């Protein structure tokens, strides 16, 4: 990592501010950039989108593709260390960057997270339970699927997120049709399990192995997209929370991970825990940490990248986070409108975060709303009022 002499005042050896780079220009990159700038770092973003949210606030925006040789060379020239804001940045690009600059997380760790089969094999190798699955790459493997994996969920092995690239299949006929619908690309078939709820754990691990974590987050998804996060998790026993944290730490440790990592879990109807997937970056379910913790997930991303000390985050307020999708900007007839921000912001403890995206689209993440309060009941009550004003379903 960067030599520690750079960092308490964010200065390089030449006395000028050190520069941190990020691959990807979406909202996660934007919040990383804002955190880095608060600590005095110069920031540079590589993203092909001229209107990228992170590029709009960074000191430098390199408008290039993730495998563009000239763009990668510019990033290495400007940045002292480099991170990524989404898991589908090509691992090959991170490998190239890692040959010249510290990169966190490293290409090999990101590569595991990019492949659902490799991810599940890693979970199993760590002793972390996950749903039974089968890899489907050929017609022969499709025909040989075990009966006990059905009904199941067919997922593309790579590039799926927010419920995309997933089809529920009840029997072999639907499985064959689903695989064809997904283009016959490599997929995994996961056995459908009886779910009680969903949770996630975010950990940060430094290059020296130091590790900290945020509290367990209880999540609600709608149409495969995170809708609500509550912290502290209201319906998860303490022993199960401890197990989830231990599992997430084990995953990060075995990857020799450096950076911020989120592991999503399912709590089954019988109260047991299985890992769903992991994200090698800050996570939507951790956005509340900006307002409800003394250090946010983005602060820890900066610290792990820059070699600064990690501290265990302190949750100083109960919180509920509501995802704000582009649907809110349209009425029932499809006409564009402005959400009722004045009424929402009149509620106590409400913080609005909009991501600076050029235009709303249904299903597009436009921002999030965090409600903080002295206790969980109050935070939930205010969040339900905000949801009602926005026309969001109760939770």
């Amino acid at each position: 990592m960067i030599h520690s002499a750079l960092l308490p005042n964010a200065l390089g050896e030449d006395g000028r501010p050190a520069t941190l780079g990020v691959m990807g220009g979406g909202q996660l990159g934007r919040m990383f950039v804002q955190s880095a700038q608060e600590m005095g770092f110069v920031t540079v973003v590589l993203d092909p989108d001229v209107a990228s949210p992170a590029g709009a606030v960074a000191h430098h925006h390199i408008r290039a593709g993730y495998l563009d040789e000239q763009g990668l060379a510019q990033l290495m020239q400007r940045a002292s260390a480099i991170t990524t804001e989404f898991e589908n940045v090509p691992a090959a690009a991170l490998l190239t960057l890692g040959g010249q600059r510290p990169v966190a997380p490293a290409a090999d760790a990101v590569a595991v997270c990019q492949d659902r089969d490799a991810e599940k094999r890693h979970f199993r190798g760590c002793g972390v339970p996950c749903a039974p699955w089968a890899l489907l790459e050929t017609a022969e493997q499709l025909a040989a699927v075990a009966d006990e994996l059905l009904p199941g969920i067919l997922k593309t092995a790579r590039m799926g997120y927010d419920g995309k690239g997933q089809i529920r299949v009840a029997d072999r006929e639907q499985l064959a049709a689903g695989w064809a619908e997904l283009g016959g690309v490599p997929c995994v078939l996961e056995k459908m399990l009886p779910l009680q709820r969903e949770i996630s754990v975010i950990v940060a691990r430094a290059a020296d192995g130091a590790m900290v974590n945020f509290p367990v987050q209880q999540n609600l998804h709608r149409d495969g997209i995170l809708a609500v996060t509550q912290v502290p998790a209201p319906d998860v026993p303490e022993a199960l929370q401890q197990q989830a944290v231990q599992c997430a730490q084990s995953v990060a440790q075995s990857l020799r991970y450096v950076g911020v990592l989120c592991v999503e879990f399912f709590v089954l109807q019988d109260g047991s825990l299985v890992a769903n997937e992991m994200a090698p970056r800050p996570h939507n379910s951790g956005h509340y940490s900006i307002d409800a913790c003394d250090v946010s997930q983005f602060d820890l991303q900066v610290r792990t990248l820059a070699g600064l000390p990690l501290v265990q985050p302190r949750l100083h307020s109960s919180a509920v986070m509501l995802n704000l999708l582009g649907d809110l900007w349209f009425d029932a007839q499809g006409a564009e409108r402005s959400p009722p921000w004045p009424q929402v912001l009149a509620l106590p403890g409400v913080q609005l975060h909009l991501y600076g995206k050029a235009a709303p689209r249904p299903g597009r993440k436009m921002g999030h709303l965090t409600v903080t309060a002295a206790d969980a009941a109050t935070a939930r009550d205010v969040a339900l009022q905000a949801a009602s004003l926005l026309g969001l379903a109760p939770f």
Side-chain angles (χ1 to χ4, degrees):
M1 304 304 293
I2 305 174
H3 190 277
S4 60
L6 292 176
L7 297 169
N9 55 5
L11 296 181
E13 293 177 357
D14 58 3
R16 293 183 298 178
T19 299
L20 301 182
V22 58
M23 291 281 281
Q27 64 265 19
L28 298 177
R30 180 185 180 96
M31 288 181 272
F32 166 82
V33 163
Q34 291 167 333
S35 180
Q37 290 175 349
E38 287 178 357
M39 288 190 243
F41 291 99
V42 175
T43 54
V44 55
V45 168
L46 187 148
D47 188 279
D49 183 1
V50 66
S52 78
V57 298
H59 294 90
H60 308 287
H61 179 190
I62 300 169
R63 297 172 182 87
Y66 301 121
L67 290 170
D68 183 89
E69 292 183 3
Q70 291 187 351
L72 294 175
Q74 288 184 52
L75 183 60
M76 287 186 286
Q77 182 179 25
R78 287 186 180 274
S80 300
I82 300 161
T83 189
T84 177
E85 68 114 31
F86 73 113
E87 59 266 46
N88 288 329
V89 166
L94 298 179
L95 190 63
T96 297
L97 295 169
Q100 300 294 325
R101 292 288 184 269
V103 172
D108 56 351
V110 174
V112 172
C113 300
Q114 289 178 339
D115 186 304
R116 292 188 189 275
D117 182 60
E119 180 180 64
K120 291 181 180 302
R121 285 189 282 108
H122 186 80
F123 286 151
R124 187 170 61 186
C126 297
V128 174
C130 61
W133 86 97
L135 175 65
L136 303 181
E137 295 181 303
T138 66
E140 291 75 18
Q141 288 174 320
L142 181 70
V145 163
D147 290 338
E148 56 264 25
L149 291 181
L150 292 166
I153 304 176
L154 185 66
K155 301 179 180 180
T156 55
R158 301 177 63 84
M159 302 298 288
Y161 65 97
D162 285 346
K164 298 178 177 64
Q166 301 185 17
I167 299 175
R168 294 192 175 199
V169 294
D171 52 35
R172 291 183 179 277
E173 183 178 354
Q174 290 186 8
L175 174 60
W179 194 45
E181 183 179 338
L182 293 173
V185 300
C187 291
V188 294
L189 174 66
E190 297 178 10
K191 180 179 177 62
M192 195 175 298
L193 300 174
L195 305 186
Q196 185 183 120
R197 59 183 50 89
E198 300 171 77
I199 63 175
S200 59
V201 176
I202 294 172
V203 300
R205 185 177 181 274
D208 64 2
M211 196 161 7
V212 298
N213 64 275
F214 288 93
V216 171
Q217 298 135 186
Q218 184 168 314
N219 304 319
L220 172 65
H221 287 76
R222 297 190 178 114
D223 298 323
I225 301 175
L226 181 66
V228 183
T229 294
Q230 299 180 77
V231 184
D235 302 311
V236 185
E238 180 61 31
L240 199 65
Q241 294 193 39
Q242 292 178 6
Q243 181 188 353
V245 170
Q246 291 168 359
C247 285
Q249 290 176 339
S250 176
V251 169
Q253 184 66 34
S254 59
L255 282 171
R256 300 185 302 279
Y257 193 86
V258 178
V260 172
L261 176 75
C262 180
V263 183
E264 296 181 75
F265 297 92
F266 294 137
V267 180
L268 304 185
Q269 289 291 348
D270 64 5
S272 62
L273 190 73
V274 296
N276 175 30
E277 60 187 23
M278 57 183 168
R281 52 168 173 78
H283 194 259
N284 201 165
S285 65
H287 289 349
Y288 74 92
S289 62
I290 297 172
D291 300 304
C293 298
D294 52 0
V295 291
S296 75
Q297 61 174 343
F298 301 100
D299 295 335
L300 292 184
Q301 187 182 21
V302 172
R303 290 184 183 219
T304 56
L305 182 63
L308 290 166
L310 300 186
V311 293
Q312 180 66 26
R314 179 178 62 88
L315 182 72
H316 56 67
S317 303
S318 296
V320 177
M321 191 274 305
L322 304 178
N323 234 0
L324 305 175
L325 303 183
D327 310 66
L328 296 178
W329 277 256
F330 299 92
D331 64 21
Q333 288 71 44
E336 194 164 343
R337 65 179 181 184
S338 178
W341 301 132
Q343 296 95 313
V344 172
L345 291 172
L347 298 172
V350 170
Q351 293 88 26
L352 175 64
H353 299 261
L354 296 179
Y355 302 149
K357 295 186 177 180
R361 294 195 304 266
R364 190 183 197 189
K365 293 176 182 176
M366 300 297 294
H368 69 270
L369 198 73
T370 304
V371 179
T372 58
D375 59 81
T378 301
R380 178 182 170 85
D381 180 64
V382 175
L384 285 169
Q385 294 178 57
S388 177
L389 287 169
L390 291 168
L392 298 173
F395 52 92

